[in-house]
Amino acid sequence: DQETFGRLLIDIQSAWGRSDTEALKPLLTEEMSAYFSGQLAELKGKGLANRVEDVSLLKGEGTEAWSENGTDYATAYLRWSARDYTVDTTSGQVVDGDKNRPVEIEEVWTFVRRPGDHWRLSAIQQV
């Protein structure tokens, strides 16, 4: 599942960086999808877009896994890098972050799945 979680990290961050809520939906729980959609709408309302590009998993390790009421849960520590910056959508000007320099991020992600389904992101915690 570690490979799966690394792929989900890249897919989710890439879709976020494109503001692609449709691509995000199958990767997230309903609650996370609503949260991400709200955050992207808030940025759009301000005339901004957060770009996340060249996502690379540097380290990933499972920290916990359990089942509860027929649902599987897994938590993974993820250290990853990406170019993460915010642009003004009208001018294209960078207003936050650095378009050329990658940053490293450390987070703990919790995934959930029902039997026969695929893993979905259900929570993110900053480390």
Side-chain angles (χ1 to χ4, degrees):
D1 287 329
Q2 285 305 109
E3 185 176 317
T4 299
F5 299 152
R7 170 57 37 211
L8 280 167
L9 165 77
I10 292 168
D11 291 349
I12 290 167
Q13 292 300 331
S14 297
W16 170 273
R18 295 187 315 273
S19 301
D20 188 345
T21 55
E22 288 305 309
L24 284 167
K25 282 181 185 178
L27 307 173
L28 309 172
T29 61
E30 288 181 28
E31 296 82 8
M32 284 300 286
S33 183
Y35 176 76
F36 276 34
S37 293
Q39 293 293 304
L40 289 170
E42 184 177 326
L43 284 166
K44 184 177 181 180
K46 294 177 181 177
L48 302 173
N50 180 220
R51 303 290 183 228
V52 181
E53 301 168 341
D54 299 328
V55 177
S56 177
L57 179 63
L58 303 174
K59 181 178 182 182
E61 62 184 45
T63 58
E64 190 175 12
W66 70 99
S67 292
E68 191 175 299
N69 299 324
T71 301
D72 296 327
Y73 296 87
T75 300
Y77 163 82
L78 302 173
R79 185 168 55 87
W80 52 283
S81 70
R83 291 183 298 119
D84 183 356
Y85 59 97
T86 302
V87 297
D88 178 294
T89 54
T90 303
S91 69
Q93 178 121 6
V94 175
V95 297
D96 188 40
D98 187 331
K99 185 176 186 175
N100 300 308
R101 181 188 289 165
V103 294
E104 283 191 19
I105 297 103
E106 292 182 78
E107 297 173 324
V108 174
W109 285 27
T110 301
F111 301 92
V112 62
R113 72 175 173 193
R114 298 210 182 267
D117 201 1
H118 61 275
W119 289 107
R120 295 174 190 266
L121 177 64
S122 66
I124 298 175
Q125 179 182 2
Q126 300 294 317
V127 175

mmCIF file of all heavy atoms in Angstrom, residues 40-83:
data_model
loop_
_atom_site.group_PDB
_atom_site.id
_atom_site.type_symbol
_atom_site.label_atom_id
_atom_site.label_comp_id
_atom_site.label_asym_id
_atom_site.label_seq_id
_atom_site.Cartn_x
_atom_site.Cartn_y
_atom_site.Cartn_z
ATOM 1 N N LEU A 40 -10.339 25.616 -2.812
ATOM 2 C CA LEU A 40 -10.079 26.043 -4.188
ATOM 3 C C LEU A 40 -11.033 27.162 -4.600
ATOM 4 O O LEU A 40 -10.624 28.112 -5.290
ATOM 5 C CB LEU A 40 -10.190 24.849 -5.147
ATOM 6 C CG LEU A 40 -9.054 23.828 -5.046
ATOM 7 C CD1 LEU A 40 -9.390 22.572 -5.845
ATOM 8 C CD2 LEU A 40 -7.734 24.429 -5.504
ATOM 9 N N ALA A 41 -12.292 27.086 -4.182
ATOM 10 C CA ALA A 41 -13.264 28.141 -4.501
ATOM 11 C C ALA A 41 -12.875 29.455 -3.828
ATOM 12 O O ALA A 41 -13.014 30.530 -4.424
ATOM 13 C CB ALA A 41 -14.666 27.719 -4.070
ATOM 14 N N GLU A 42 -12.376 29.368 -2.597
ATOM 15 C CA GLU A 42 -11.942 30.571 -1.889
ATOM 16 C C GLU A 42 -10.772 31.238 -2.617
ATOM 17 O O GLU A 42 -10.758 32.456 -2.803
ATOM 18 C CB GLU A 42 -11.528 30.212 -0.459
ATOM 19 C CG GLU A 42 -11.157 31.410 0.386
ATOM 20 C CD GLU A 42 -10.820 31.033 1.816
ATOM 21 O OE1 GLU A 42 -11.428 30.084 2.355
ATOM 22 O OE2 GLU A 42 -9.928 31.693 2.377
ATOM 23 N N LEU A 43 -9.808 30.438 -3.048
ATOM 24 C CA LEU A 43 -8.691 30.985 -3.820
ATOM 25 C C LEU A 43 -9.192 31.632 -5.113
ATOM 26 O O LEU A 43 -8.809 32.754 -5.449
ATOM 27 C CB LEU A 43 -7.676 29.888 -4.156
ATOM 28 C CG LEU A 43 -6.760 29.433 -3.040
ATOM 29 C CD1 LEU A 43 -6.049 28.132 -3.415
ATOM 30 C CD2 LEU A 43 -5.737 30.517 -2.703
ATOM 31 N N LYS A 44 -10.058 30.905 -5.826
ATOM 32 C CA LYS A 44 -10.594 31.416 -7.096
ATOM 33 C C LYS A 44 -11.334 32.731 -6.875
ATOM 34 O O LYS A 44 -11.214 33.665 -7.673
ATOM 35 C CB LYS A 44 -11.524 30.377 -7.725
ATOM 36 C CG LYS A 44 -12.033 30.787 -9.088
ATOM 37 C CD LYS A 44 -12.889 29.697 -9.691
ATOM 38 C CE LYS A 44 -13.380 30.110 -11.065
ATOM 39 N NZ LYS A 44 -14.201 29.076 -11.683
ATOM 40 N N GLY A 45 -12.102 32.820 -5.781
ATOM 41 C CA GLY A 45 -12.836 34.038 -5.457
ATOM 42 C C GLY A 45 -11.918 35.234 -5.223
ATOM 43 O O GLY A 45 -12.314 36.384 -5.419
ATOM 44 N N LYS A 46 -10.697 34.949 -4.807
ATOM 45 C CA LYS A 46 -9.701 36.006 -4.582
ATOM 46 C C LYS A 46 -8.855 36.261 -5.825
ATOM 47 O O LYS A 46 -7.915 37.053 -5.789
ATOM 48 C CB LYS A 46 -8.778 35.618 -3.424
ATOM 49 C CG LYS A 46 -9.476 35.546 -2.085
ATOM 50 C CD LYS A 46 -8.501 35.087 -1.015
ATOM 51 C CE LYS A 46 -9.187 34.973 0.335
ATOM 52 N NZ LYS A 46 -8.268 34.458 1.367
ATOM 53 N N GLY A 47 -9.164 35.544 -6.904
ATOM 54 C CA GLY A 47 -8.387 35.695 -8.132
ATOM 55 C C GLY A 47 -7.023 35.031 -8.056
ATOM 56 O O GLY A 47 -6.094 35.437 -8.736
ATOM 57 N N LEU A 48 -6.936 33.971 -7.249
ATOM 58 C CA LEU A 48 -5.667 33.280 -7.046
ATOM 59 C C LEU A 48 -5.777 31.805 -7.404
ATOM 60 O O LEU A 48 -6.865 31.248 -7.431
ATOM 61 C CB LEU A 48 -5.235 33.395 -5.573
ATOM 62 C CG LEU A 48 -5.065 34.788 -5.004
ATOM 63 C CD1 LEU A 48 -4.807 34.727 -3.506
ATOM 64 C CD2 LEU A 48 -3.941 35.530 -5.719
ATOM 65 N N ALA A 49 -4.631 31.202 -7.655
ATOM 66 C CA ALA A 49 -4.552 29.755 -7.879
ATOM 67 C C ALA A 49 -3.262 29.251 -7.259
ATOM 68 O O ALA A 49 -2.208 29.858 -7.437
ATOM 69 C CB ALA A 49 -4.588 29.433 -9.369
ATOM 70 N N ASN A 50 -3.356 28.163 -6.506
ATOM 71 C CA ASN A 50 -2.184 27.544 -5.896
ATOM 72 C C ASN A 50 -1.666 26.471 -6.845
ATOM 73 O O ASN A 50 -2.378 25.530 -7.172
ATOM 74 C CB ASN A 50 -2.562 26.952 -4.536
ATOM 75 C CG ASN A 50 -1.388 26.297 -3.828
ATOM 76 O OD1 ASN A 50 -1.554 25.258 -3.221
ATOM 77 N ND2 ASN A 50 -0.211 26.873 -3.878
ATOM 78 N N ARG A 51 -0.450 26.625 -7.303
ATOM 79 C CA ARG A 51 0.165 25.658 -8.212
ATOM 80 C C ARG A 51 1.081 24.735 -7.414
ATOM 81 O O ARG A 51 1.891 25.206 -6.615
ATOM 82 C CB ARG A 51 0.982 26.373 -9.291
ATOM 83 C CG ARG A 51 0.182 27.364 -10.105
ATOM 84 C CD ARG A 51 -0.801 26.652 -10.998
ATOM 85 N NE ARG A 51 -1.507 27.602 -11.832
ATOM 86 C CZ ARG A 51 -2.814 27.615 -11.988
ATOM 87 N NH1 ARG A 51 -3.562 26.726 -11.382
ATOM 88 N NH2 ARG A 51 -3.390 28.502 -12.757
ATOM 89 N N VAL A 52 0.916 23.447 -7.619
ATOM 90 C CA VAL A 52 1.786 22.446 -7.006
ATOM 91 C C VAL A 52 2.289 21.584 -8.156
ATOM 92 O O VAL A 52 1.503 20.895 -8.802
ATOM 93 C CB VAL A 52 1.033 21.604 -5.955
ATOM 94 C CG1 VAL A 52 1.972 20.582 -5.329
ATOM 95 C CG2 VAL A 52 0.416 22.496 -4.889
ATOM 96 N N GLU A 53 3.582 21.657 -8.397
ATOM 97 C CA GLU A 53 4.168 21.007 -9.575
ATOM 98 C C GLU A 53 5.399 20.192 -9.181
ATOM 99 O O GLU A 53 6.036 20.464 -8.171
ATOM 100 C CB GLU A 53 4.555 22.066 -10.603
ATOM 101 C CG GLU A 53 3.379 22.914 -11.049
ATOM 102 C CD GLU A 53 3.762 24.147 -11.840
ATOM 103 O OE1 GLU A 53 4.928 24.584 -11.783
ATOM 104 O OE2 GLU A 53 2.869 24.685 -12.509
ATOM 105 N N ASP A 54 5.733 19.225 -10.021
ATOM 106 C CA ASP A 54 6.912 18.382 -9.817
ATOM 107 C C ASP A 54 6.913 17.733 -8.437
ATOM 108 O O ASP A 54 7.911 17.754 -7.710
ATOM 109 C CB ASP A 54 8.208 19.179 -10.034
ATOM 110 C CG ASP A 54 8.315 19.741 -11.437
ATOM 111 O OD1 ASP A 54 7.800 19.092 -12.379
ATOM 112 O OD2 ASP A 54 8.885 20.828 -11.602
ATOM 113 N N VAL A 55 5.791 17.125 -8.083
ATOM 114 C CA VAL A 55 5.644 16.462 -6.794
ATOM 115 C C VAL A 55 6.506 15.195 -6.773
ATOM 116 O O VAL A 55 6.470 14.399 -7.705
ATOM 117 C CB VAL A 55 4.166 16.096 -6.529
ATOM 118 C CG1 VAL A 55 4.020 15.348 -5.215
ATOM 119 C CG2 VAL A 55 3.300 17.345 -6.554
ATOM 120 N N SER A 56 7.262 15.031 -5.691
ATOM 121 C CA SER A 56 8.126 13.867 -5.556
ATOM 122 C C SER A 56 8.081 13.366 -4.117
ATOM 123 O O SER A 56 8.341 14.133 -3.186
ATOM 124 C CB SER A 56 9.560 14.248 -5.943
ATOM 125 O OG SER A 56 10.427 13.164 -5.755
ATOM 126 N N LEU A 57 7.757 12.098 -3.938
ATOM 127 C CA LEU A 57 7.757 11.496 -2.614
ATOM 128 C C LEU A 57 9.202 11.208 -2.220
ATOM 129 O O LEU A 57 9.914 10.489 -2.911
ATOM 130 C CB LEU A 57 6.941 10.202 -2.606
ATOM 131 C CG LEU A 57 6.888 9.450 -1.282
ATOM 132 C CD1 LEU A 57 6.199 10.291 -0.195
ATOM 133 C CD2 LEU A 57 6.162 8.123 -1.464
ATOM 134 N N LEU A 58 9.651 11.780 -1.107
ATOM 135 C CA LEU A 58 11.008 11.578 -0.620
ATOM 136 C C LEU A 58 11.072 10.428 0.383
ATOM 137 O O LEU A 58 12.036 9.680 0.420
ATOM 138 C CB LEU A 58 11.533 12.862 0.027
ATOM 139 C CG LEU A 58 11.515 14.095 -0.878
ATOM 140 C CD1 LEU A 58 11.909 15.334 -0.092
ATOM 141 C CD2 LEU A 58 12.419 13.890 -2.084
ATOM 142 N N LYS A 59 10.022 10.308 1.204
ATOM 143 C CA LYS A 59 9.969 9.230 2.185
ATOM 144 C C LYS A 59 8.514 8.969 2.529
ATOM 145 O O LYS A 59 7.744 9.908 2.736
ATOM 146 C CB LYS A 59 10.731 9.609 3.452
ATOM 147 C CG LYS A 59 10.742 8.510 4.504
ATOM 148 C CD LYS A 59 11.551 8.904 5.718
ATOM 149 C CE LYS A 59 11.574 7.763 6.726
ATOM 150 N NZ LYS A 59 12.314 8.118 7.925
ATOM 151 N N GLY A 60 8.161 7.719 2.583
ATOM 152 C CA GLY A 60 6.809 7.347 2.982
ATOM 153 C C GLY A 60 6.865 6.096 3.840
ATOM 154 O O GLY A 60 7.547 5.145 3.485
ATOM 155 N N GLU A 61 6.212 6.148 4.966
ATOM 156 C CA GLU A 61 6.166 4.958 5.809
ATOM 157 C C GLU A 61 4.838 4.880 6.532
ATOM 158 O O GLU A 61 4.322 5.889 7.021
ATOM 159 C CB GLU A 61 7.327 4.915 6.800
ATOM 160 C CG GLU A 61 7.370 6.036 7.789
ATOM 161 C CD GLU A 61 8.605 5.978 8.681
ATOM 162 O OE1 GLU A 61 9.713 5.748 8.176
ATOM 163 O OE2 GLU A 61 8.436 6.179 9.893
ATOM 164 N N GLY A 62 4.302 3.676 6.553
ATOM 165 C CA GLY A 62 3.060 3.445 7.272
ATOM 166 C C GLY A 62 3.299 3.583 8.763
ATOM 167 O O GLY A 62 4.315 3.115 9.279
ATOM 168 N N THR A 63 2.387 4.240 9.445
ATOM 169 C CA THR A 63 2.542 4.415 10.887
ATOM 170 C C THR A 63 1.478 3.681 11.679
ATOM 171 O O THR A 63 1.697 3.352 12.838
ATOM 172 C CB THR A 63 2.519 5.915 11.270
ATOM 173 O OG1 THR A 63 1.291 6.485 10.828
ATOM 174 C CG2 THR A 63 3.691 6.655 10.644
ATOM 175 N N GLU A 64 0.344 3.419 11.034
ATOM 176 C CA GLU A 64 -0.740 2.755 11.745
ATOM 177 C C GLU A 64 -1.740 2.210 10.727
ATOM 178 O O GLU A 64 -1.962 2.818 9.686
ATOM 179 C CB GLU A 64 -1.436 3.772 12.663
ATOM 180 C CG GLU A 64 -2.412 3.209 13.633
ATOM 181 C CD GLU A 64 -2.959 4.269 14.590
ATOM 182 O OE1 GLU A 64 -2.755 5.467 14.375
ATOM 183 O OE2 GLU A 64 -3.619 3.859 15.554
ATOM 184 N N ALA A 65 -2.346 1.067 11.035
ATOM 185 C CA ALA A 65 -3.406 0.501 10.198
ATOM 186 C C ALA A 65 -4.382 -0.225 11.106
ATOM 187 O O ALA A 65 -3.979 -0.868 12.071
ATOM 188 C CB ALA A 65 -2.832 -0.456 9.163
ATOM 189 N N TRP A 66 -5.676 -0.079 10.797
ATOM 190 C CA TRP A 66 -6.693 -0.747 11.616
ATOM 191 C C TRP A 66 -7.981 -0.860 10.814
ATOM 192 O O TRP A 66 -8.147 -0.222 9.784
ATOM 193 C CB TRP A 66 -6.922 0.021 12.923
ATOM 194 C CG TRP A 66 -7.603 1.351 12.787
ATOM 195 C CD1 TRP A 66 -8.926 1.612 12.993
ATOM 196 C CD2 TRP A 66 -7.016 2.602 12.430
ATOM 197 N NE1 TRP A 66 -9.195 2.943 12.780
ATOM 198 C CE2 TRP A 66 -8.026 3.582 12.437
ATOM 199 C CE3 TRP A 66 -5.722 3.005 12.099
ATOM 200 C CZ2 TRP A 66 -7.810 4.920 12.129
ATOM 201 C CZ3 TRP A 66 -5.490 4.336 11.779
ATOM 202 C CH2 TRP A 66 -6.530 5.267 11.807
ATOM 203 N N SER A 67 -8.865 -1.722 11.317
ATOM 204 C CA SER A 67 -10.198 -1.887 10.727
ATOM 205 C C SER A 67 -11.226 -1.587 11.799
ATOM 206 O O SER A 67 -11.029 -1.903 12.970
ATOM 207 C CB SER A 67 -10.396 -3.308 10.218
ATOM 208 O OG SER A 67 -9.571 -3.559 9.113
ATOM 209 N N GLU A 68 -12.305 -0.976 11.357
ATOM 210 C CA GLU A 68 -13.367 -0.588 12.282
ATOM 211 C C GLU A 68 -14.687 -0.626 11.532
ATOM 212 O O GLU A 68 -14.834 0.026 10.493
ATOM 213 C CB GLU A 68 -13.063 0.837 12.770
ATOM 214 C CG GLU A 68 -13.885 1.339 13.913
ATOM 215 C CD GLU A 68 -13.380 2.707 14.369
ATOM 216 O OE1 GLU A 68 -12.220 2.814 14.784
ATOM 217 O OE2 GLU A 68 -14.179 3.651 14.283
ATOM 218 N N ASN A 69 -15.628 -1.391 12.027
ATOM 219 C CA ASN A 69 -16.960 -1.486 11.418
ATOM 220 C C ASN A 69 -16.895 -1.788 9.920
ATOM 221 O O ASN A 69 -17.621 -1.189 9.124
ATOM 222 C CB ASN A 69 -17.764 -0.211 11.663
ATOM 223 C CG ASN A 69 -17.977 0.062 13.137
ATOM 224 O OD1 ASN A 69 -18.153 -0.859 13.924
ATOM 225 N ND2 ASN A 69 -17.946 1.325 13.512
ATOM 226 N N GLY A 70 -16.012 -2.697 9.520
ATOM 227 C CA GLY A 70 -15.923 -3.095 8.124
ATOM 228 C C GLY A 70 -15.196 -2.118 7.225
ATOM 229 O O GLY A 70 -15.215 -2.274 6.009
ATOM 230 N N THR A 71 -14.548 -1.137 7.800
ATOM 231 C CA THR A 71 -13.797 -0.152 7.026
ATOM 232 C C THR A 71 -12.331 -0.210 7.429
ATOM 233 O O THR A 71 -12.013 -0.321 8.610
ATOM 234 C CB THR A 71 -14.342 1.271 7.282
ATOM 235 O OG1 THR A 71 -15.733 1.299 6.915
ATOM 236 C CG2 THR A 71 -13.607 2.305 6.462
ATOM 237 N N ASP A 72 -11.436 -0.192 6.435
ATOM 238 C CA ASP A 72 -9.995 -0.202 6.690
ATOM 239 C C ASP A 72 -9.472 1.232 6.742
ATOM 240 O O ASP A 72 -9.883 2.084 5.941
ATOM 241 C CB ASP A 72 -9.251 -0.940 5.574
ATOM 242 C CG ASP A 72 -9.627 -2.403 5.499
ATOM 243 O OD1 ASP A 72 -9.917 -3.002 6.554
ATOM 244 O OD2 ASP A 72 -9.623 -2.942 4.374
ATOM 245 N N TYR A 73 -8.546 1.469 7.656
ATOM 246 C CA TYR A 73 -7.891 2.770 7.802
ATOM 247 C C TYR A 73 -6.383 2.555 7.797
ATOM 248 O O TYR A 73 -5.902 1.529 8.291
ATOM 249 C CB TYR A 73 -8.279 3.432 9.130
ATOM 250 C CG TYR A 73 -9.738 3.760 9.245
ATOM 251 C CD1 TYR A 73 -10.641 2.810 9.711
ATOM 252 C CD2 TYR A 73 -10.218 5.019 8.897
ATOM 253 C CE1 TYR A 73 -11.990 3.107 9.827
ATOM 254 C CE2 TYR A 73 -11.564 5.323 8.999
ATOM 255 C CZ TYR A 73 -12.442 4.356 9.469
ATOM 256 O OH TYR A 73 -13.775 4.648 9.578
ATOM 257 N N ALA A 74 -5.652 3.509 7.272
ATOM 258 C CA ALA A 74 -4.192 3.460 7.308
ATOM 259 C C ALA A 74 -3.671 4.882 7.402
ATOM 260 O O ALA A 74 -4.194 5.801 6.759
ATOM 261 C CB ALA A 74 -3.645 2.776 6.061
ATOM 262 N N THR A 75 -2.643 5.046 8.221
ATOM 263 C CA THR A 75 -2.005 6.345 8.369
ATOM 264 C C THR A 75 -0.565 6.212 7.893
ATOM 265 O O THR A 75 0.110 5.230 8.208
ATOM 266 C CB THR A 75 -2.049 6.806 9.839
ATOM 267 O OG1 THR A 75 -3.417 6.886 10.240
ATOM 268 C CG2 THR A 75 -1.421 8.162 10.013
ATOM 269 N N ALA A 76 -0.106 7.202 7.127
ATOM 270 C CA ALA A 76 1.249 7.165 6.593
ATOM 271 C C ALA A 76 1.924 8.518 6.785
ATOM 272 O O ALA A 76 1.306 9.571 6.585
ATOM 273 C CB ALA A 76 1.223 6.815 5.109
ATOM 274 N N TYR A 77 3.180 8.465 7.193
ATOM 275 C CA TYR A 77 4.025 9.652 7.250
ATOM 276 C C TYR A 77 4.573 9.852 5.845
ATOM 277 O O TYR A 77 5.128 8.926 5.243
ATOM 278 C CB TYR A 77 5.168 9.448 8.246
ATOM 279 C CG TYR A 77 6.297 10.427 8.077
ATOM 280 C CD1 TYR A 77 6.219 11.706 8.631
ATOM 281 C CD2 TYR A 77 7.430 10.090 7.342
ATOM 282 C CE1 TYR A 77 7.254 12.609 8.467
ATOM 283 C CE2 TYR A 77 8.457 10.985 7.172
ATOM 284 C CZ TYR A 77 8.369 12.242 7.731
ATOM 285 O OH TYR A 77 9.396 13.149 7.547
ATOM 286 N N LEU A 78 4.396 11.054 5.294
ATOM 287 C CA LEU A 78 4.871 11.358 3.949
ATOM 288 C C LEU A 78 5.744 12.609 3.982
ATOM 289 O O LEU A 78 5.329 13.656 4.475
ATOM 290 C CB LEU A 78 3.682 11.592 3.004
ATOM 291 C CG LEU A 78 2.678 10.447 2.880
ATOM 292 C CD1 LEU A 78 1.479 10.882 2.047
ATOM 293 C CD2 LEU A 78 3.325 9.212 2.281
ATOM 294 N N ARG A 79 6.956 12.465 3.491
ATOM 295 C CA ARG A 79 7.827 13.635 3.288
ATOM 296 C C ARG A 79 7.998 13.754 1.786
ATOM 297 O O ARG A 79 8.399 12.800 1.118
ATOM 298 C CB ARG A 79 9.180 13.454 3.980
ATOM 299 C CG ARG A 79 10.064 14.708 3.877
ATOM 300 C CD ARG A 79 11.266 14.640 4.809
ATOM 301 N NE ARG A 79 12.090 13.468 4.630
ATOM 302 C CZ ARG A 79 13.099 13.376 3.746
ATOM 303 N NH1 ARG A 79 13.406 14.397 2.967
ATOM 304 N NH2 ARG A 79 13.789 12.256 3.665
ATOM 305 N N TRP A 80 7.641 14.916 1.267
ATOM 306 C CA TRP A 80 7.630 15.082 -0.171
ATOM 307 C C TRP A 80 8.102 16.487 -0.543
ATOM 308 O O TRP A 80 8.176 17.377 0.297
ATOM 309 C CB TRP A 80 6.261 14.783 -0.754
ATOM 310 C CG TRP A 80 5.095 15.503 -0.128
ATOM 311 C CD1 TRP A 80 4.486 15.225 1.069
ATOM 312 C CD2 TRP A 80 4.385 16.619 -0.666
ATOM 313 N NE1 TRP A 80 3.452 16.093 1.292
ATOM 314 C CE2 TRP A 80 3.365 16.955 0.250
ATOM 315 C CE3 TRP A 80 4.513 17.356 -1.836
ATOM 316 C CZ2 TRP A 80 2.476 18.007 0.026
ATOM 317 C CZ3 TRP A 80 3.626 18.398 -2.060
ATOM 318 C CH2 TRP A 80 2.618 18.714 -1.142
ATOM 319 N N SER A 81 8.447 16.654 -1.801
ATOM 320 C CA SER A 81 8.865 17.967 -2.284
ATOM 321 C C SER A 81 8.042 18.334 -3.509
ATOM 322 O O SER A 81 7.521 17.460 -4.211
ATOM 323 C CB SER A 81 10.359 17.992 -2.615
ATOM 324 O OG SER A 81 10.620 17.220 -3.764
ATOM 325 N N ALA A 82 7.937 19.632 -3.725
ATOM 326 C CA ALA A 82 7.219 20.152 -4.896
ATOM 327 C C ALA A 82 7.512 21.638 -5.021
ATOM 328 O O ALA A 82 7.906 22.290 -4.058
ATOM 329 C CB ALA A 82 5.717 19.939 -4.740
ATOM 330 N N ARG A 83 7.293 22.135 -6.208
ATOM 331 C CA ARG A 83 7.260 23.591 -6.382
ATOM 332 C C ARG A 83 5.841 23.999 -6.026
ATOM 333 O O ARG A 83 4.888 23.546 -6.658
ATOM 334 C CB ARG A 83 7.632 23.980 -7.806
ATOM 335 C CG ARG A 83 9.096 23.715 -8.105
ATOM 336 C CD ARG A 83 9.551 24.155 -9.486
ATOM 337 N NE ARG A 83 8.843 23.430 -10.524
ATOM 338 C CZ ARG A 83 8.053 23.993 -11.449
ATOM 339 N NH1 ARG A 83 7.871 25.294 -11.493
ATOM 340 N NH2 ARG A 83 7.439 23.252 -12.352
#
